[in-house]
Amino acid sequence: MSEILLKSENLARAFGGLQAVAGVSLSLPAGRVTALVGPNGAGKTTTFNLITGNLRADSGTAQIRGRPIMGLKPWQVARLGVARSFQDLRLFTHVTVRENVLAATETASWFWQPGGSRARRQREDRAAAALEATGLAALADARAIDLAYAERKFLSMARILAAEADIWLLDEPASGLDLASRLRFGELLRAATARGVAICLIEHNLDVVAELSDRIAFLDQGRVLAEGEPQAILRDPALAAIYFGDRPQEAA
Amino acid sequence: MTAYLANLATLVAIFGILAATLNFVVGFAGIFSVAHAVFFGLGAYAGAQVALQLFPDALLACLVAAIVAGGLSLCLALPALRVRGEYFVAASLGLQMMATTLFSEAKAFTGGIGGLVAIPRPTVAGVEVGVLPLALAALALILFLTARLQRGAFGRTLQSIRDAESAAEALGKNVAAAKTLAVAFACAGAGIGGALFALHLSFVNVESFTMDQSVLVMAMVIIGGTGTLWGPLIGAILLLSLPSGLAFLPFIPATEVGAVQQIVYGLAMTLLMIFRPAGLVGDLSKGRATA
């Protein structure tokens, strides 16, 4: 069993009367892809937001390598090695592709970055490698806002690659990609897991899930209903009924 | 005529400093402050007080002005930076209104409505100097620093915050610290502009630090081109030369110049937003960026 890099226990969060996340426990092992699957509103993105500190949890805990992260700010969680992508990408639209990726390597908020020119060259190399891996090297000088849809998705991945985090939280990174792009995306994930990165993937396309994930956690109404091997979860008729909207009647 | 042009050039340099520093927060960090005149005023009063109470050394006056304006911007910015976007505009509006009242009332520091008068001529190391070379040097320094920051990592951090604050934070950037630093840098620069302004006019009062002034500086930035290096300076040159230019036109009666000026400003802003929304310089550099 590989090392658990990120672990959450009983995370819960309500918005007014709506219990968006109702006790989610997750473990992300190094070198594995865990898919979060479930219908819209199941609490998948909210779970990400609770882990990254974008939302405060009402209760529950989370740790990175045993270190508690509840109450930390998003940038502090990021510096512990968590990188995330957003459903709506949130690229730095008015700067170039290269600058988008370079920005991911420059975390100091002071007027200058530590390490001098040697560290700067290393950051530039990291950015160039991330652009190469995502197939964006030829577009390095284009502005992010001028990219096509799939290129934007890969730019979002390039930022994560360059950030050199070992825990990736990816929110629908493959949605809307054609087959060739999806294959390239799969290669990115496999290269990362081979390096020991723990990946958590929110994905609606069950083909993508079956293809890329090692484990599935099935969420519904803020709870993990089932967790296990992809084939077992995907073949479960009760889960399929929930996922495809054919929800069984609540027991009286 | 030479004295007239020297006066105009000094004012252009001072307002160039104001516009360039405001551009730093508006154009790079995306923080829309309509309170820049407050820090201009703080610097002017601080610089004037140094000249009046201690000795009229221009560099000392600028240093104290930068510390006072930059330092107070920290206290005032910290709560205000917690709010985003249009809410920050409203918060800075409140700050501007409050500061105008404080400037009129804090007589011991500002001289009240009457202002501070008889500010002695500036010196550097005991030798009397004109404000124009000092203002040009300060402008050059601020443009140089802006260019350095624009190309470097800090400029990239601010631009990433401007474009997608939550993504910048998710990449490990301490957004609040970077914004605070940007605001302090810009306000310290505005303070230097204020000290030079006080030394230049040898008189300051609250009239120069009102909302109108903040809006004028914002107009310079927008007309010249937000997020560009030279745009704010061009905006400052245009908006300061316009009144004098209009005064030379024989068919406008002297008493109506003010009204005509307002109409020309309004018309120019409207046309600009329709045809060159990125400002006069903005379109050019955008064309280069996508070429």
Side-chain angles (χ1 to χ4, degrees), chain A:
Chain A
M1 186 67 192
S2 47
E3 186 197 0
I4 302 293
L5 297 188
L6 188 142
K7 190 178 172 70
S8 80
E9 276 169 85
N10 289 316
L11 283 179
R13 166 77 193 218
F15 300 110
L18 175 76
Q19 191 68 41
V21 172
V24 169
S25 301
L26 275 180
S27 295
L28 302 183
R32 296 288 158 81
V33 178
T34 307
L36 281 189
V37 173
N40 289 328
K44 303 182 296 291
T45 301
T46 307
T47 301
F48 275 10
N49 285 332
L50 293 176
I51 292 170
T52 56
N54 288 86
L55 283 174
R56 298 254 162 221
D58 296 332
S59 60
T61 61
Q63 288 118 32
I64 291 174
R65 292 195 183 82
R67 189 194 151 152
I69 55 167
M70 287 289 99
L72 294 187
K73 295 190 165 61
W75 61 270
Q76 293 171 315
V77 174
R79 289 187 191 185
L80 291 174
V82 177
R84 73 175 294 187
S85 74
F86 297 89
Q87 238 172 63
D88 54 356
L89 302 183
R90 305 189 193 176
L91 301 177
F92 308 134
T93 42
H94 289 81
V95 299
T96 65
V97 167
R98 181 185 288 111
E99 286 171 315
N100 262 270
V101 182
L102 265 180
T105 67
E106 295 159 342
T107 49
S109 304
W110 191 231
F111 280 129
W112 55 85
Q113 302 290 313
S117 57
R118 180 144 166 251
R120 197 190 66 230
R121 274 194 301 278
Q122 283 171 353
R123 289 196 301 273
E124 285 166 357
D125 291 346
R126 259 161 71 189
L131 290 178
E132 196 63 47
T134 48
L136 292 172
L139 292 164
D141 293 319
R143 287 193 312 168
I145 199 170
D146 297 326
L147 295 185
Y149 181 77
E151 291 158 357
R152 289 181 195 201
K153 295 220 108 166
F154 277 106
L155 179 53
S156 162
M157 289 305 299
R159 285 198 310 205
I160 289 177
L161 270 175
E164 291 197 329
D166 52 11
I167 299 164
W168 293 6
L169 306 178
L170 308 179
D171 201 342
E172 300 193 26
S175 66
L177 293 184
D178 63 21
L179 187 61
S181 300
R182 242 165 61 194
L183 291 176
R184 162 165 245 151
F185 173 71
E187 281 168 26
L188 279 180
L189 291 204
R190 270 186 288 275
T193 49
R195 290 197 307 272
V197 174
I199 297 177
C200 189
L201 178 77
I202 295 177
E203 181 54 59
H204 283 294
N205 185 330
L206 296 182
D207 293 335
V208 174
V209 171
E211 197 175 295
L212 295 177
S213 64
D214 302 304
R215 291 164 66 250
I216 293 181
F218 189 99
L219 257 71
D220 184 45
Q221 299 183 337
R223 284 188 177 79
V224 179
L225 283 194
E227 205 178 346
E229 299 284 316
Q231 289 316 318
I233 302 282
L234 293 174
R235 283 205 203 101
D236 187 325
L239 298 178
I242 291 171
Y243 192 75
F244 293 109
D246 192 12
R247 191 179 294 277
Q249 292 299 305
E250 299 276 321

Side-chain angles (χ1 to χ4, degrees), chain B residues 159-188:
Chain B
Q159 286 170 315
S160 64
I161 291 170
R162 176 196 66 197
D163 286 353
E165 186 169 325
S166 52
E169 207 173 13
L171 291 169
K173 293 177 188 294
N174 185 345
V175 167
K179 277 184 172 182
T180 305
L181 204 58
V183 167
F185 172 77
C187 291

Side-chain angles (χ1 to χ4, degrees), chain B residues 55-77:
Chain B
F55 39 88
D57 187 273
L59 299 181
L60 181 69
C62 285
L63 181 67
V64 171
I67 292 171
V68 168
L72 280 174
S73 80
L74 288 185
C75 314
L76 300 169

Side-chain angles (χ1 to χ4, degrees), chain B residues 21 27 56-57 66 77 115-116 120 171 270 289-290:
Chain B
T21 50
D57 187 273
L116 299 172
L171 291 169
T270 312
T290 50

Side-chain angles (χ1 to χ4, degrees), chain B residues 118-133:
Chain B
I119 300 163
R121 306 300 309 155
T123 60
V124 170
V127 182
E128 193 171 315
V129 289
V131 174
L132 179 58

Side-chain angles (χ1 to χ4, degrees), chain B residues 3-282:
Chain B
Y4 173 82
L5 284 179
N7 175 53
L8 185 62
T10 311
L11 288 177
V12 163
I14 289 170
F15 278 83
I17 293 171
L18 283 182
T21 50
L22 180 63
N23 177 45
F24 193 70
V25 284
V26 172
F28 290 100
I31 303 169
F32 273 82
S33 163
V34 285
H36 212 49
V38 172
F39 302 97
F40 181 49
L42 283 170
Y45 288 126
Q49 291 289 9
V50 166
L52 285 166
Q53 310 289 339
L54 299 171
F55 39 88
D57 187 273
L59 299 181
L60 181 69
C62 285
L63 181 67
V64 171
I67 292 171
V68 168
L72 280 174
S73 80
L74 288 185
C75 314
L76 300 169
L78 285 177
L81 286 173
R82 297 180 67 88
V83 297
R84 284 172 197 215
E86 61 270 34
Y87 301 107
F88 185 84
V89 178
S92 67
L93 193 66
L95 171 64
Q96 172 69 60
M97 287 156 70
M98 192 171 69
T100 310
T101 312
L102 282 175
F103 288 163
S104 320
E105 298 302 322
K107 293 193 178 63
F109 180 62
T110 67
I113 300 281
L116 299 172
V117 294
I119 300 163
R121 306 300 309 155
T123 60
V124 170
V127 182
E128 193 171 315
V129 289
V131 174
L132 179 58
L134 292 173
L136 287 175
L139 175 65
L141 179 68
I142 283 173
L143 285 176
F144 172 75
L145 287 177
T146 309
R148 286 289 307 257
L149 292 173
Q150 183 182 12
R151 278 200 299 271
F154 189 64
R156 216 158 18 242
T157 297
L158 294 183
Q159 286 170 315
S160 64
I161 291 170
R162 176 196 66 197
D163 286 353
E165 186 169 325
S166 52
E169 207 173 13
L171 291 169
K173 293 177 188 294
N174 185 345
V175 167
K179 277 184 172 182
T180 305
L181 204 58
V183 167
F185 172 77
C187 291
I192 291 176
L196 293 169
F197 184 71
L199 293 172
H200 175 59
L201 295 186
S202 67
F203 159 77
V204 283
N205 80 346
V206 65
E207 293 289 311
S208 306
F209 315 122
T210 58
M211 172 65 106
D212 287 355
Q213 197 76 289
S214 284
V215 171
L216 177 68
V217 178
M218 182 64 94
M220 290 171 177
V221 174
I222 293 173
I223 287 175
T226 50
T228 65
L229 182 60
W230 298 106
L233 181 58
I234 289 170
I237 293 171
L238 278 180
L239 288 194
L240 288 177
S241 328
L242 187 69
S244 354
L246 288 176
F248 282 113
L249 295 179
F251 51 88
I252 301 173
T255 48
E256 303 299 327
V257 165
V260 173
Q261 188 185 323
Q262 289 304 319
I263 293 171
V264 173
Y265 279 171
L267 198 64
M269 283 283 266
T270 312
L271 290 175
L272 196 73
M273 288 307 105
I274 294 171
F275 295 108
R276 293 182 88 94
L280 291 174
V281 177

